[in-house]
Amino acid sequence: MKPAPNTSRRQYEARMHRVQAHIDRHLDAPLDLEALAGVAHFSPYHFHRLFLAWTGQTLGDYLARRRLEKAAQRLRGQPDSTVLSIALSVGYGSAEAFTRAFKARFGLPPTQWRNLDQADSNLDQAGTEAGDEDGLFRNPDEGDPVNVRLIDRPPVRMGYLRYHGAYGPALGRFWAETFNPWLATQNLGAVARFGIGHDDPSLVAPELCRYDCGVAVPDDWVPSGGALVTELPGGRYAALDFEGTAADIGAAWQAMMGRWLPSSGLQLDARPCFEHYGPAAKFDYRTGVFDCELCIPVAPL
């Protein structure tokens, strides 16, 4: 018996999501077509065509884009790392090859681009300002800075719906009009929710950005309504308590990445950053103010 069309599509989607996650976690590896086809459980002969049809990019173009976007993040988040070490960490064999590719993508060589203020980025979707010089995020409406702290989190089995597009008001509507009504049908009670932005909107064009709205689910939970399942990795994270509106959250992320992280003695690893909404998290429908915990995965430099 053939699977229903929607079930078949979800299987394809889940497999492609696994490939994208595998790529981001192994950018320092060769990542050849045959190996990635194996991650997806598709035939190597057809995988290139399937990947192009699903993402709109060839596998080679997608790999090159993700390598350079991650390198750009690390150039700013790891100021003490050499250009060569960052080039090697995203799969380039030499600083020269990396510099040529980076300049072609961003218009400047890595060293010069690293020294630019993040506000100069022409892909910033939020239009937000950076945090305080002390590396702490300060809500414009509050006088007290909020400290970034280090925490250890267990892995979480997560059901999720994926959003594609610009972060901002459209993403807020996805939460309100798509995810929350779906969540209400799942009978999960008061559980933790997560928002995972897979792409940096200051580096990635809006139409290419991906974001998962997720919820912690038990081991026996069976996805329905178009949802997929993944594991949110555990481990050491830097966390910042946030309270504000969707218009404010970009500044909080930027404070962590651009101000706190470079002075922390830590670096990002290959796990995703995410927003953690605890069971008691609040949202004011009148003002749009909500609270959550911003988490970035960290490892020693």
Side-chain angles (χ1 to χ4, degrees):
M1 177 183 292
K2 292 182 179 179
N6 284 344
T7 301
S8 177
R9 181 175 180 82
R10 290 301 171 190
Q11 290 177 357
Y12 268 74
E13 188 173 12
R15 292 185 188 192
M16 289 301 184
H17 289 183
R18 282 202 301 270
V19 170
Q20 290 175 316
H22 181 88
I23 287 171
D24 279 355
R25 294 174 187 175
H26 299 87
L27 287 173
D28 58 341
L31 294 172
D32 60 88
L33 183 146
E34 186 170 353
L36 293 174
V39 172
H41 298 292
F42 284 130
S43 162
Y45 181 77
H46 296 291
F47 181 67
H48 190 276
R49 187 177 301 169
L50 289 171
F51 191 89
L52 173 61
W54 194 265
T55 66
Q57 293 180 286
T58 67
L59 181 59
D61 287 346
Y62 182 86
L63 288 171
R65 178 171 71 83
R66 291 305 291 164
R67 292 187 197 278
L68 291 172
E69 288 165 359
K70 287 295 184 181
Q73 284 185 329
R74 292 171 186 177
L75 281 166
R76 283 181 173 157
Q78 301 168 210
D80 295 330
S81 296
T82 65
V83 169
L84 176 59
S85 67
I86 289 175
L88 295 174
S89 78
V90 296
Y92 281 87
S94 69
E96 291 77 12
F98 171 67
T99 296
R100 286 194 299 271
F102 193 93
K103 186 175 181 180
R105 169 67 174 82
F106 292 106
L108 292 170
T111 301
Q112 187 175 349
W113 190 91
R114 168 184 251 170
N115 294 326
L116 286 178
D117 188 278
Q118 286 200 345
D120 292 338
S121 172
N122 61 6
L123 286 177
D124 186 1
Q125 298 170 26
T128 54
E129 295 181 357
D132 291 346
E133 289 297 331
D134 57 9
L136 303 176
F137 172 67
R138 187 182 300 275
N139 189 310
D141 298 322
E142 298 175 358
D144 297 327
V146 180
N147 285 303
V148 175
R149 63 192 185 282
L150 296 179
I151 61 173
D152 292 300
R153 293 189 54 87
V156 175
R157 185 173 189 255
M158 186 182 83
Y160 70 97
L161 299 177
R162 177 159 292 185
Y163 164 85
H164 292 87
Y167 301 162
L171 176 55
R173 289 193 294 272
F174 185 85
W175 274 100
E177 299 172 9
T178 300
F179 180 79
N180 288 340
W182 168 83
L183 181 59
T185 69
Q186 299 303 302
N187 299 314
L188 292 170
V191 291
R193 291 158 293 138
F194 303 91
I196 304 175
H198 293 282
D199 301 287
D200 184 339
S202 71
L203 302 172
V204 182
E207 66 274 13
L208 297 177
C209 286
R210 300 160 295 150
Y211 184 99
D212 293 338
C213 299
V215 59
V217 296
D219 291 340
D220 60 354
W221 180 81
V222 178
S224 62
L228 299 171
V229 179
T230 190
E231 181 178 270
L232 187 61
R236 177 58 59 97
Y237 288 86
L240 183 152
D241 291 323
F242 170 81
E243 182 175 357
T245 68
D248 303 323
I249 200 167
W253 282 117
Q254 190 167 320
M256 292 186 79
M257 297 290 198
R259 304 287 179 171
W260 177 81
L261 184 62
S263 302
S264 69
L266 301 168
Q267 62 182 318
L268 296 176
D269 65 19
R271 295 168 294 160
C273 304
F274 60 88
E275 302 146 18
H276 169 229
Y277 300 86
K282 300 182 293 294
F283 179 80
D284 188 321
Y285 286 92
R286 182 179 60 84
T287 64
V289 172
F290 61 91
D291 63 77
C292 67
E293 183 181 54
L294 307 184
C295 298
I296 64 173
V298 293
L301 273 173

